[in-house]
Amino acid sequence: MSINKKRRSTGRVTLADVAQLAGVGSMTVSRALRTPEQVSDKLREKIEEAVSQLGYLPNQAASSLASASSNTIAMIVPSLSEAGCAEMFAGLQKVLQPAGYQIMLAESQHRIEREEKLLETLLSYNLAAAILLSVEHSANVRQWLDNLTIPVLEIGALTDSPIDMNIGIDYVEAMFQLTQTVVAKGYQNIGMLCANQEQWIFQQHLQGWRKAMLKAHMSPHRVINAAEPASFSTGAQQLPEFLLAWPEIDALVCVSDDLACGALYECQRRRIKVPDDLAVVGFGNADVSKVCQPPLTTIAVPHKEIGVRAAQALLARINDEEWEEVTIASSLCKRESC
């Protein structure tokens, strides 16, 4: 018996194609795939052979629509290269995948209007939940999410006005702790280097920085917010700008380890001794912070733990069980750069 492998209209093999090749009805194929114990071994093997030959994949969207349930969770991130994104995704997968849930990942490219278009598309699916690695949304998005009956999880950082669930670290407190550490070391002329990142995270970093500096009766005015991404090259390029604007600077607080390491490289090129002439600290505890020279004082953000704890809470919520809204603790890593 011969059959065209794919229909021209949809480009995918259908249940009817499998049924035709196996010489049975579509309902029999559906029963064999859903409840194989209700079909004889001989018939099941015949259907499995047809499925294998045609490369048939069940239409999960249609299945979830028919059953009014779904195992798909949508996740939108500002950028796949965002600090900690991969680790948080791995933590989410560690819990959600064994429970039978799949994450549909999309990137908004730090654009609120793109997040809106992505959500408009994704919410047309019968989702089990939505995860957002951002807390800054358009009015439309906030209204859509407010009206959803499924769980909405904002992950990574805490916010004062969460839409629904919110699990992450307190960026204000983390930056306050880091800046206080630099002040406690006796540095008097401290600067802060920022780069292109989510505006709300920048505001939280700035709030923690100002809180620590003002508490120590120091001026928080030495701040550069570069338009470029938080990378090694940006850190290296911005250090001369700092030295030109504030030659008295004796310590530099960076909002990412990549920025800090870039500044360290530029210090080595200019023969600036770290930490004797200039202390440099970072944020994130990236792997490079442990092996650069000198090793970098930084704040450790347990991104994978955030993903795991958030997934556990989300799974409990989906199953109508009690869940805990927790603040994940960051920790200070004291090393030789400060």
Side-chain angles (χ1 to χ4, degrees):
M1 182 180 297
S2 64
I3 186 173
N4 290 331
K5 184 174 180 181
K6 294 186 179 180
R7 293 184 172 185
R8 292 181 182 273
S9 59
T10 64
R12 76 183 283 143
V13 177
T14 67
L15 199 71
D17 295 332
V18 176
Q20 185 179 346
L21 182 59
V24 297
S26 295
M27 290 297 292
T28 303
V29 175
S30 179
R31 189 182 306 113
L33 296 177
R34 290 175 180 272
T35 53
E37 68 279 0
Q38 294 183 10
V39 179
S40 67
D41 293 342
K42 184 176 180 180
L43 188 55
R44 186 172 64 249
E45 289 172 6
K46 189 176 182 181
I47 291 171
E48 288 174 351
E49 185 179 346
V51 167
S52 177
Q53 183 177 335
L54 293 174
Y56 171 72
L57 294 172
N59 188 334
Q60 296 294 343
S63 176
S64 65
L65 188 62
S67 63
S69 64
S70 173
N71 65 347
T72 301
I73 295 172
M75 180 176 181
I76 298 181
V77 301
S79 170
L80 294 174
S81 61
E82 190 81 9
C85 177
E87 292 90 340
M88 279 189 279
F89 183 73
L92 288 164
Q93 288 278 71
K94 183 178 180 181
V95 175
L96 295 174
Q97 201 168 48
Y101 291 92
Q102 301 298 326
I103 299 177
M104 188 187 304
L105 188 61
E107 184 183 50
S108 66
Q109 299 172 342
H110 292 279
R111 289 158 50 196
I112 291 179
E113 67 277 9
R114 179 169 171 78
E115 181 191 59
E116 183 173 320
K117 288 189 176 298
L118 286 169
L119 265 175
E120 188 175 11
T121 299
L122 292 172
L123 291 178
S124 66
Y125 290 82
N126 190 23
L127 300 174
I131 302 174
L132 304 173
L133 190 63
S134 174
V135 297
E136 189 176 30
H137 315 292
S138 70
N140 280 341
V141 164
R142 184 165 280 274
Q143 183 177 0
W144 294 340
L145 297 176
D146 276 336
N147 293 335
L148 286 182
T149 56
I150 61 171
V152 177
L153 170 64
E154 292 168 294
I155 185 176
L158 297 184
T159 173
D160 292 333
S161 55
I163 292 170
D164 185 11
M165 306 175 71
N166 181 209
I167 292 178
I169 73 160
D170 186 338
Y171 274 85
V172 176
E173 179 58 32
M175 181 55 74
F176 174 76
Q177 182 185 11
L178 180 63
T179 307
Q180 259 202 331
T181 298
V182 178
V183 171
K185 289 289 185 179
Y187 296 99
Q188 297 294 316
N189 304 300
I190 309 170
M192 182 183 187
L193 176 57
C194 309
N196 186 18
Q197 60 183 156
E198 290 284 282
Q199 181 64 22
W200 57 276
I201 291 185
F202 166 68
Q203 292 296 336
Q204 290 192 3
H205 277 146
L206 196 62
Q207 186 179 340
W209 153 263
R210 290 178 60 84
K211 180 181 173 183
M213 293 294 285
L214 293 175
K215 184 177 180 181
H217 306 290
M218 294 182 178
S219 172
H221 74 281
R222 300 183 188 89
V223 176
I224 288 181
N225 186 19
E228 294 78 16
S231 63
F232 294 154
S233 58
T234 301
Q237 290 164 6
Q238 292 302 317
L239 181 64
E241 297 294 326
F242 253 107
L243 297 176
L244 184 63
W246 301 290
E248 74 279 9
I249 190 172
D250 58 5
L252 183 61
V253 175
C254 301
V255 299
S256 83
D257 288 342
D258 286 356
L259 281 174
C261 286
L264 284 181
Y265 298 152
E266 184 64 14
C267 284
Q268 292 174 4
R269 194 181 73 82
R270 290 171 172 257
R271 301 186 187 281
I272 297 172
K273 295 180 181 179
V274 179
D276 297 340
D277 299 331
L278 179 68
V280 179
V281 300
F283 196 103
N285 197 33
D287 191 51
V288 67
S289 69
K290 306 163 193 172
V291 296
C292 59
Q293 286 300 320
L296 195 63
T297 292
T298 185
I299 287 285
V301 180
H303 291 112
K304 188 169 184 180
E305 181 190 349
I306 291 173
V308 168
R309 298 288 292 276
Q312 289 169 343
L314 185 61
L315 195 58
R317 174 73 177 279
I318 290 171
N319 294 329
D320 293 323
E321 299 170 354
E322 289 189 9
W323 61 280
E324 184 181 5
E325 194 166 76
V326 294
T327 299
I328 309 299
S330 56
S331 58
L332 180 68
C333 303
K334 295 182 179 180
R335 301 192 182 112
E336 287 86 341
S337 72
C338 178

